[in-house]
Amino acid sequence: MASRSRFDTHEVFNQSPPYENVDLFSSDAPLQDAVKANGAASELSALAAFGRQWGTADMFALARQANENPPKLKTFDAKGNRSDTIEFHPAYHRFMRESIAAGLHASTWMPSGSRAPAPAEVVRTARFYMAAQVETGHLCPVTMTRAALAALAAEPELAAKVIPKVVTRNYDPLFRPWRDKSGMTLGMGMTEKQGGTDVRANTTVATPDGDGYSVVGHKWFMSAPMCDAFLILAQAPGGLTCFLLPRFRLDGSVNALRFQRLKDKLGNRSNASGEVEFTDAFARRVGNEGAGIRTILQMVQLTRLDCAIASAGLMRMALAQAVHHCRHRNVFGKKLYDQPMMRTVLADMALEAEAATALVFRLARALDRAADDAAEAAYARVMTPAAKYWICKRAPGFIFEAMECLGGNGYVEENILPRLYREAPVNAIWEGSGNVMCLDVLRALKGKEEAAVVAVLARDAGVEHATMDQTQEADARAVVGKLALLACTAALKASVPAVAEAFVRSRLAAPHDAIYGAVAMKPAASELLLQRVLPED
Ligand SMILES: Cc1cc2nc3c(=O)[nH]c(=O)nc-3n(C[C@H](O)[C@H](O)[C@H](O)COP(=O)(O)OP(=O)(O)OC[C@H]3O[C@@H](n4cnc5c(N)ncnc54)[C@H](O)[C@@H]3O)c2cc1C
């Protein structure tokens, strides 16, 4: 029920009640269908418990606090000693604790370092998708931690020590050597001032020194600087190499990381992103000298998947806010929800969100099966950059449209939508920006198994055979966009055929207008899509 309160001059009415104390899982039909369609039907009740917990008013309030009180860099202590630590608001620590307790940082790994069996990826995707709807900043170290384990496999002896510490479900925020902690997190530093995408331009140097290397140089972006160790790239004598650089040296002294300042970011404000210098910092090699890019690429496939999942989650929350508001707000004698044009806008957005959700879960299933199935491995290789490109690019415009559904209320900071809107672009920018993702898809399609993915997608989507092997770089965005549409259609057909039909009609049969609601949507399709967003209360 909408709340009413009386002022001296007027009564407050016709405002939607807050969207909180919701079950983020059981109220989301597309999410439940995606989980079932991708092999995780046995997890429904556990996921509903997670959805209830994360959808409480308390969690939404904590998320606001974590973002209104961004982390502070403590370069020195009161006596002038170097400190190089970051102070976070307690709400941020609470999110870290909750996410780690739920295994978002490691549930897809076994303590041995092998992959957890299916449907570990799909189940984690569901939790990550719900967590991203509430607070996204803290998910940066969570995603980096789980992904870093893939790269550590290149150094089995080191991995055997680190992974058992990571896979605990303990969040230990104390600043002390990781060996003495009850749990640990991992970050990543690749980007330097003169080159981010082009990591070959890295100028940071690693010189062999005793049991490890001594690292001198900088990183222009290194997020979550309170992680216990970082995978970094540096130039070793044998070429660009991956290293694990811990906050403490083996003798227990603080390692030589000098934080220069924290980035003043558009969004992602609960999370710290630092600029750092390494002044003879101790690091251990991960993989062979010269194999740095190959080693770290194992990690970025997983972080890229998480970017797509998080953006799909942001879209879901924006959509739920818009539909919830329109169901409670009257204009010109009718619920906004029942105004014909608003229904088309909302239904068109619902269709977009359905597609993003279906695609990320299909991709998670491919990762679940990749080890035993070459076709699924090829799907994951091609569709990870394609999904990151497509979904992360669509999210900001989508969230803006949701904001507009709430009118002026959507634009003010007490509402969650401005935060979602500011958060969204980072998923597209980091871990390979849009163009870089499209180039990666073209590179992937040069493989035989990978090229076959296109024909399978076309078949599953029910369209004529599509070929993409002759694509020029200059056309890559257009081609990867089409590939994403095919993959969304195929994923929807396997999950909810009726929704797939609406998707084909409005996105494949004719190009979709850049603006939501500028489509011919059949009333029955609108009704189906809107009912699937949220049950009516
Ligand atoms: C909030 C935030 C947190 C971050 N955290 C981290 C972190 O923890 N660790 C880390 O290492 N980095 C981090 N980054 C950095 C991020 O990964 C880089 O900014 C990103 O990879 C792009 O690199 P760049 O900024 O050097 O831009 P550039 O590499 O200069 O790219 C600029 C643009 O050019 C495009 N481009 C590049 N190459 C080509 C090409 N061949 N053809 C066409 N277009 C091209 C790119 O798509 C991009 O749009 C973070 C960034 C942000 C915003």
Side-chain angles (χ1 to χ4, degrees), residues 188 190-191 196-197 221 223 265 426 429 431 433 435-436 439:
M188 173 194 81
M190 293 196 274
T191 308
T197 307
F221 280 87
S223 288
K265 295 177 286 184
V426 73
I429 290 173
E431 288 301 80
S433 314
N435 289 352
V436 177
L439 292 175

Side-chain angles (χ1 to χ4, degrees), residues 178-259:
W178 63 264
R179 287 161 201 275
D180 303 337
K181 294 179 67 164
S182 61
M184 72 182 285
T185 52
L186 297 166
M188 173 194 81
M190 293 196 274
T191 308
E192 298 188 2
K193 288 175 184 164
Q194 72 287 348
T197 307
D198 188 2
V199 289
R200 289 166 306 180
N202 273 195
T203 59
T204 296
V205 172
T207 311
D209 183 12
D211 284 346
Y213 285 72
S214 174
V215 180
V216 176
H218 82 284
K219 294 294 163 188
W220 181 227
F221 280 87
M222 197 172 83
S223 288
M226 288 309 281
C227 285
D228 297 291
F230 302 87
L231 285 177
I232 64 142
L233 290 177
Q235 303 288 357
L240 193 64
T241 305
C242 182
F243 294 92
L244 184 73
L245 191 147
R247 288 302 313 266
F248 289 82
R249 295 173 186 276
L250 291 177
D251 65 6
S253 61
V254 177
N255 204 1
L257 290 83
R258 302 283 177 253
F259 295 130

Side-chain angles (χ1 to χ4, degrees), residues 388-452:
K388 180 185 187 288
Y389 165 69
W390 181 252
I391 297 171
C392 299
K393 276 265 179 257
R394 301 288 288 172
F398 183 100
I399 297 166
F400 156 58
E401 193 67 61
M403 194 184 277
E404 192 168 321
C405 293
L406 276 78
N409 284 0
Y411 194 72
V412 298
E413 291 290 343
E414 286 93 344
N415 193 294
I416 192 176
L417 284 159
R419 174 152 57 84
L420 302 185
Y421 184 65
R422 285 195 302 268
E423 188 67 38
V426 73
N427 288 330
I429 290 173
W430 93 301
E431 288 301 80
S433 314
N435 289 352
V436 177
M437 290 300 86
C438 293
L439 292 175
D440 195 41
V441 174
L442 296 196
R443 205 173 305 121
L445 288 175
K446 291 197 164 65
K448 195 162 160 257
E449 292 275 2
E450 286 78 4

Side-chain angles (χ1 to χ4, degrees), residues 339-503:
Q339 295 287 359
M341 194 169 14
M342 184 58 96
R343 279 182 83 76
T344 310
V345 171
L346 292 172
D348 198 19
M349 290 172 67
L351 191 48
E352 190 77 18
E354 290 252 14
T357 303
L359 181 55
V360 291
F361 279 88
R362 172 66 186 88
L363 189 49
R365 181 175 70 154
L367 272 182
D368 264 335
R369 298 180 178 188
D372 306 317
D373 185 332
E376 291 292 310
Y379 181 98
R381 173 68 188 92
V382 174
M383 288 314 303
T384 301
K388 180 185 187 288
Y389 165 69
W390 181 252
I391 297 171
C392 299
K393 276 265 179 257
R394 301 288 288 172
F398 183 100
I399 297 166
F400 156 58
E401 193 67 61
M403 194 184 277
E404 192 168 321
C405 293
L406 276 78
N409 284 0
Y411 194 72
V412 298
E413 291 290 343
E414 286 93 344
N415 193 294
I416 192 176
L417 284 159
R419 174 152 57 84
L420 302 185
Y421 184 65
R422 285 195 302 268
E423 188 67 38
V426 73
N427 288 330
I429 290 173
W430 93 301
E431 288 301 80
S433 314
N435 289 352
V436 177
M437 290 300 86
C438 293
L439 292 175
D440 195 41
V441 174
L442 296 196
R443 205 173 305 121
L445 288 175
K446 291 197 164 65
K448 195 162 160 257
E449 292 275 2
E450 286 78 4
V453 169
V454 181
V456 173
L457 284 178
R459 183 201 67 202
D460 292 350
V463 303
E464 280 180 24
H465 176 68
T467 172
M468 296 175 181
D469 47 358
Q470 297 300 321
T471 304
Q472 308 292 316
E473 261 189 50
D475 306 328
R477 280 192 176 212
V479 167
V480 176
K482 282 190 195 130
L483 182 66
L485 291 178
L486 278 185
C488 288
T489 308
L492 282 170
K493 281 202 167 180
S495 167
V496 253
V499 172
E501 206 179 292
F503 192 80

Side-chain angles (χ1 to χ4, degrees), residues 72-114:
K72 292 188 189 125
L73 172 61
K74 301 286 169 188
T75 319
F76 299 97
D77 70 10
K79 310 292 178 192
N81 300 302
R82 293 286 318 194
S83 167
D84 295 296
T85 52
I86 319 290
E87 201 173 81
F88 290 92
H89 189 268
Y92 174 88
H93 290 299
R94 168 78 185 276
F95 279 108
M96 288 297 288
R97 203 160 45 246
E98 295 287 351
S99 282
I100 288 177
L104 295 188
H105 72 306
S107 61
T108 56
W109 297 103
M110 307 298 283
S112 64
S114 59

